[in-house]
Amino acid sequence: MIRRPPRSTLSSSSAASDVYKRQVGNASIYLDYNATTPLRAEVKAELLDALGEPNNPSSIHSLGRIARRRLEKSRRQIATLINSPPENIIFTSGGTEANNLALKGGQCTDIIVSSVEHEAVLAAAVNAKKISVDKNGIVILSELENVIADINGDCFVSIMWANNETGVIQPIKEIVEIASKYGARVHSDAVQALGKIPINFRESGLSMMSISAHKIGGPTGIGALVIADDVELKPTLVGGGQEKGRRSGTENILGAIGFGKAAEVVAQNPAENKRVQNLRDLFETKLSRCFPKVNILSQNVPRLGNTSAIVMPGVLAETQVMSFDLEGICLSAGAACSSGKVKRSHVVEAMKIGDEPATNTIRVSLGWDSTELEIDFLVNSWLKIYNRANKKI
């Protein structure tokens, strides 16, 4: 259970860590919102209201029709957040399935991805051509155009909107423009971007886009693939023909209800992201003042306002994550596998900025409940861990 001090007690003093410990004891500070988010209170209330009902939208009786209305309401709520036709939103079990449906259902043999994509994309397109990124993690557009031109035919480009490890935002508009010159279609994994930056699917020029609920305060186990009007998909899951035959299986009504409500809450709170970005900037400023040589990756290019990827000299990421956990802070290394172990970051490796960043980078990702007091505690803990590991204390 994450407990937080009242906002009236927030302080930026050097004694913030002691204040925090007195107020919350050993309770955890959660700074891993890019991994998953707490369930929003509004979402929880909506789910509790629907919990226990026989929710099958394929049933033609009155309760089935109620379930269908709930499902379509959720679709409209998500469509409002991303400016998409509701009927073009296909519910899936999450971002991973949405990516798989896009890459495998698009029926295109020539696939192009960036070298910093999420594993869900890289594993679904193992034979894809990979485009390099620069030292900041931004796709090299000239290389992308050359690869598309060399294919000289129909191809499919998949570039994530924002990176889960560094927060770097890719130039989606320019990517779509290049692909359109050659008749190529573009899919974007927008799982991290959703709710953190404005997304206008209708105007993006994308053919497909993957999103997920649990990154914006919704439940896990529910995502969606958003498609343009002219996209035809071959389903990867067949059966009862749900979701207009594009994704069979009884819909996860509770998940969809939670997703829709989370999208509605995000759409109604546009100032939330600015407050979070101010906190992130404050964290980076304070850390830089205390440790001027700190290496914050991609700091001078467009990033998600909640994300910092920080290299700690001489300390492996896995060691840092465990040390912060002992301090009561939950954060992560950029790359984690299903075993829970930390491995070298393929994202940072692709940036070609040295061996140490690929092994010594942690990710701090803030959210709507993050506070300035937590930022002060984080800075103090970072310095303590660094000094202890480098025998400076």
Side-chain angles (χ1 to χ4, degrees), residues 159-173:
I159 306 288
M160 64 187 353
W161 204 311
N163 189 267
N164 51 302
E165 297 188 28
T166 62
V168 169
I169 299 170
Q170 296 294 347
I172 294 297
K173 180 182 178 181

Side-chain angles (χ1 to χ4, degrees), residues 192-207:
Q192 287 296 338
L194 183 69
K196 296 171 187 164
I197 58 175
I199 290 178
N200 189 324
F201 182 76
R202 290 181 193 266
E203 296 183 2
S204 69
L206 292 170
S207 291

Side-chain angles (χ1 to χ4, degrees), residues 19 39-40 50 56 99 105 146 161 249 255:
V19 171
L39 195 68
R40 292 180 185 266
N56 189 334
N99 285 335
N146 289 338
W161 204 311

Side-chain angles (χ1 to χ4, degrees), residues 64-377:
R65 293 196 298 274
I66 291 172
R68 173 59 59 183
R69 287 197 293 272
R70 284 174 164 166
L71 183 68
E72 298 312 318
K73 177 185 176 182
S74 300
R75 225 186 290 271
R76 291 192 300 273
Q77 289 169 317
I78 298 166
T80 297
L81 178 61
I82 62 174
N83 191 24
S84 162
E87 62 272 16
N88 290 8
I89 295 173
I90 306 166
F91 284 116
T92 66
S93 64
T96 293
E97 186 191 338
N99 285 335
N100 274 263
L101 180 56
L103 292 161
K104 297 177 180 179
Q107 305 179 70
C108 188
T109 55
D110 290 309
I111 297 176
I112 301 169
V113 302
S114 82
S115 56
V116 294
E117 294 301 308
H118 191 278
E119 293 289 355
V121 167
L122 297 178
V126 291
N127 296 318
K129 298 176 176 63
K130 290 183 182 178
I131 304 301
S132 304
V133 296
D134 63 18
K135 64 180 181 180
N136 289 308
I138 297 176
V139 169
I140 299 174
L141 296 178
S142 58
E143 182 178 330
L144 173 65
E145 181 159 13
N146 289 338
V147 171
I148 296 175
D150 286 344
I151 291 174
N152 194 29
D154 185 34
C155 65
F156 188 76
V157 179
S158 182
I159 306 288
M160 64 187 353
W161 204 311
N163 189 267
N164 51 302
E165 297 188 28
T166 62
V168 169
I169 299 170
Q170 296 294 347
I172 294 297
K173 180 182 178 181
E174 289 82 356
I175 289 168
V176 169
E177 288 174 351
I178 290 170
S180 297
K181 284 171 57 177
Y182 301 91
R185 293 167 292 160
V186 181
H187 159 260
S188 185
D189 176 348
V191 166
Q192 287 296 338
L194 183 69
K196 296 171 187 164
I197 58 175
I199 290 178
N200 189 324
F201 182 76
R202 290 181 193 266
E203 296 183 2
S204 69
L206 292 170
S207 291
M208 292 186 259
M209 183 176 77
S210 301
I211 53 177
S212 183
H214 74 109
K215 307 296 187 180
I216 62 170
T220 55
I222 183 74
L225 180 66
V226 189
I227 64 173
D229 290 333
D230 60 348
V231 169
E232 293 186 10
L233 280 176
K234 179 181 179 181
T236 55
L237 289 177
V238 295
Q242 289 85 352
E243 296 296 285
K244 297 183 178 179
R246 301 174 297 197
R247 195 275 186 183
S248 290
T250 301
E251 292 92 343
N252 177 1
I253 286 288
L254 288 175
I257 289 172
F259 197 173
K261 188 61 179 181
E264 180 182 84
V265 173
V266 169
Q268 292 173 349
N269 293 276
E272 186 175 81
N273 286 325
K274 182 60 178 175
R275 189 192 76 84
V276 172
Q277 181 170 339
N278 288 341
L279 272 181
R280 192 278 310 272
D281 292 346
L282 179 65
F283 162 59
E284 293 183 354
T285 297
K286 288 189 173 186
L287 185 58
S288 297
R289 285 174 182 166
C290 296
F291 191 78
K293 296 185 291 184
V294 67
N295 183 7
I296 301 172
L297 302 185
S298 310
Q299 192 173 20
N300 298 316
V301 298
R303 288 180 296 158
L304 297 176
N306 78 316
T307 306
S308 296
I310 308 154
V311 183
M312 184 181 286
V315 189
L316 293 175
E318 186 170 15
T319 302
Q320 292 182 61
V321 171
M322 291 186 290
S323 298
F324 278 110
D325 196 33
L326 292 172
E327 290 288 312
I329 299 174
C330 299
L331 45 71
S332 69
C337 58
S338 58
S339 66
K341 295 181 179 180
V342 176
K343 59 182 180 179
R344 288 176 67 90
S345 167
H346 75 278
V347 171
V348 182
E349 279 191 325
M351 294 160 64
K352 298 178 181 178
I353 52 177
D355 287 336
E356 189 170 64
T359 58
N360 293 24
T361 298
I362 59 161
R363 178 189 68 196
V364 174
S365 50
L366 310 179
W368 57 86
D369 273 343
S370 300
T371 67
E372 186 173 339
L373 190 58
E374 292 174 339
I375 292 303
D376 289 330
F377 188 63

